[in-house]
Amino acid sequence: MRDGIHPPYGPVVFRDRAANHAFLTRSTMTSEKTIEWEDGHTYPVVDVEISNVSHPFYTGTARVLDTAGRVERFERRYGRPRERG
C-alpha cells in the first residue's frame, strides 16, 4: 500500500445502543469518545443504532410480507410481460 493515502486501520469498539451490546473489531472509523474494554485497554467507541444483535432479520422477529399479493397487484397494474420466442 502507498503511504499517506489510506486511513489508519485499528481496533474500534462498536456499541449497539438498542441492545446494549458492544463488540471489538478493527476498522478505519474513529471517534473522540473512548471506552475501557474487558482487556483493560482503552479504545475509541462508535455508537450504532442497530447491529446483528438488534436487527429484526437476525433476531427472527422480522415480519413476512405478502409477496404473492404484491406480485399480483404489480401484474394487474402493469400487465404481465410478453414471452420472447
Side-chain angles (χ1 to χ4, degrees):
M1 293 191 322
R2 290 189 344 205
D3 291 335
I5 64 168
H6 300 285
Y9 181 72
V12 177
V13 173
F14 285 92
R15 182 171 47 191
D16 183 348
R17 298 304 239 158
N20 197 22
H21 175 76
F23 56 94
L24 177 65
T25 186
R26 296 180 58 87
S27 176
T28 58
M29 291 190 70
T30 60
S31 175
E32 296 294 322
K33 294 188 273 184
T34 60
I35 189 172
E36 186 172 333
W37 193 242
E38 301 159 355
D39 62 2
H41 292 91
T42 302
Y43 299 106
V45 63
V46 177
D47 290 325
V48 293
E49 297 294 323
I50 197 161
S51 72
N52 65 323
V53 177
S54 61
H55 193 281
F57 178 80
Y58 296 105
T59 60
T61 59
R63 294 182 302 192
V64 177
L65 297 174
D66 177 21
T67 55
R70 296 173 79 183
V71 170
E72 290 169 359
R73 187 171 55 224
F74 177 84
E75 288 176 351
R76 236 186 358 254
R77 235 183 239 166
Y78 301 107
R80 183 171 226 144
R82 289 186 240 160
E83 292 183 22
R84 295 180 183 184

